[in-house]
Amino acid sequence: MRKVLYFALFVFAIAICVSCSLDLERMVLVGKWVYVDYSPYGQENTRREYVFNDDGTFSFRSFYSGNETESNTGKWSHSNGKLDLKGDDGADKSNRTYGEDWSIKFPASPGEKALIGGYEFDEITPEVKYSRSEGPKDKGKYQEAKDFTVVINETKTKCTLEYSVKYTKNDEVFHSYTWTFSYDLEESGGVYLMKNCVQVKADVLTAYTINSSDSLSIDSNASTTRTYTREK
């Protein structure tokens, strides 16, 4: 009985240590982190800012030559060296739009592929949902896989296009994100034009490394690891 009690206390102590470690790591991440790069003439080119709040909310802003190009807010959490950023409204301000001037040509019969933006999409549910996958492609230091899913309402007046990208190293995901594009559909000459795009970026998973209490490295995309410093 005494051995069982000692073992239970030992397990409890380990659990407390793990919990304290996670809490300390969270405390280190809380704050404002800034990355800046400069031109050869000392002018600020790119500036990126993450703010991780203790209440689990975050904000992100990106600037180029002093002009804001992207912003996002939402919820953040961390686990095993990964940041999970669930955005509220990550609308991109740089005019990046999937499906701009795209159109949809529906299959003439069940089993045929739909043509969306000139690309063939496999039919999942007749006249409702179509998908297309690319990769994983070997990019040297990482693997890249893309998934596209288009969902169309029954009246063919609206659709959404989800564009998901996943990056892996040694079969482990270190960065992924999903763009969602919503469109109005307008029938024209047997095809449906995709108009009035609204876009949202959310559910970003990215790897990070705490270098010190004032230095944080983030794999913000597949080819770039940026080092952020704490702004005091």
Side-chain angles (χ1 to χ4, degrees):
M1 183 67 180
R2 183 173 297 176
K3 289 183 178 180
V4 173
L5 179 60
Y6 287 159
F7 179 75
L9 290 173
F10 177 70
V11 171
F12 180 67
I14 291 177
I16 290 177
C17 289
V18 170
S19 176
C20 289
S21 175
L22 292 175
D23 287 343
L24 286 172
E25 187 166 344
R26 181 181 178 83
M27 287 172 61
V28 171
L29 287 169
V30 169
K32 183 175 182 178
W33 299 89
V34 178
Y35 165 85
V36 181
D37 68 18
Y38 298 91
S39 73
Y41 306 101
Q43 297 172 321
E44 186 176 294
N45 277 340
T46 303
R47 181 181 181 90
R48 297 165 66 89
E49 302 175 353
Y50 281 102
V51 178
F52 301 116
N53 300 309
D54 192 38
D55 63 359
T57 60
F58 83 93
S59 63
F60 169 77
R61 301 176 72 191
S62 178
F63 302 84
Y64 183 75
S65 296
N67 298 314
E68 185 172 340
T69 58
E70 187 178 353
S71 64
N72 203 352
T73 60
K75 301 288 186 181
W76 75 278
S77 60
H78 72 96
S79 177
N80 299 320
K82 301 290 193 305
L83 285 169
D84 191 6
L85 310 177
K86 297 190 180 297
D88 295 328
D89 150 317
D92 189 3
K93 298 182 180 180
S94 59
N95 297 322
R96 173 182 177 180
T97 303
Y98 266 93
E100 186 174 7
D101 298 326
W102 277 18
S103 63
I104 298 175
K105 185 176 181 180
F106 292 98
S109 60
E112 292 186 6
K113 297 179 185 294
L115 286 177
I116 303 175
Y119 294 93
E120 290 187 340
F121 278 69
D122 294 321
E123 187 177 70
I124 300 177
T125 305
E127 296 186 55
V128 176
K129 190 173 183 180
Y130 300 90
S131 71
R132 174 184 174 85
S133 296
E134 298 178 4
K137 294 181 180 178
D138 187 359
K139 296 291 187 177
K141 295 183 179 179
Y142 61 90
Q143 300 280 324
E144 179 186 69
K146 300 178 182 179
D147 290 299
F148 300 82
T149 303
V150 180
V151 179
I152 300 150
N153 67 348
E154 292 182 2
T155 58
K156 298 181 181 177
T157 55
K158 293 185 180 295
C159 76
T160 59
L161 186 153
E162 268 196 3
Y163 169 62
S164 298
V165 181
K166 183 183 294 183
Y167 301 109
T168 57
K169 291 178 181 176
N170 301 320
D171 297 324
E172 182 181 355
V173 178
F174 72 93
H175 183 70
S176 65
Y177 61 87
T178 299
W179 280 97
T180 301
F181 302 90
S182 300
Y183 302 90
D184 295 327
L185 294 181
E186 179 183 299
E187 198 275 335
S188 176
V191 300
Y192 287 77
L193 306 179
M194 300 163 71
K195 302 284 190 177
N196 305 322
C197 177
V198 176
Q199 51 189 306
V200 173
K201 185 178 182 181
D203 298 327
V204 179
L205 177 71
T206 189
Y208 72 91
T209 302
I210 297 175
N211 305 319
S212 70
S213 60
D214 293 320
S215 178
L216 175 69
S217 294
I218 299 177
D219 283 333
S220 55
N221 58 46
S223 59
T224 305
T225 300
R226 295 184 174 94
T227 298
Y228 292 73
T229 56
R230 185 187 298 277
E231 186 170 278
K232 298 179 179 179

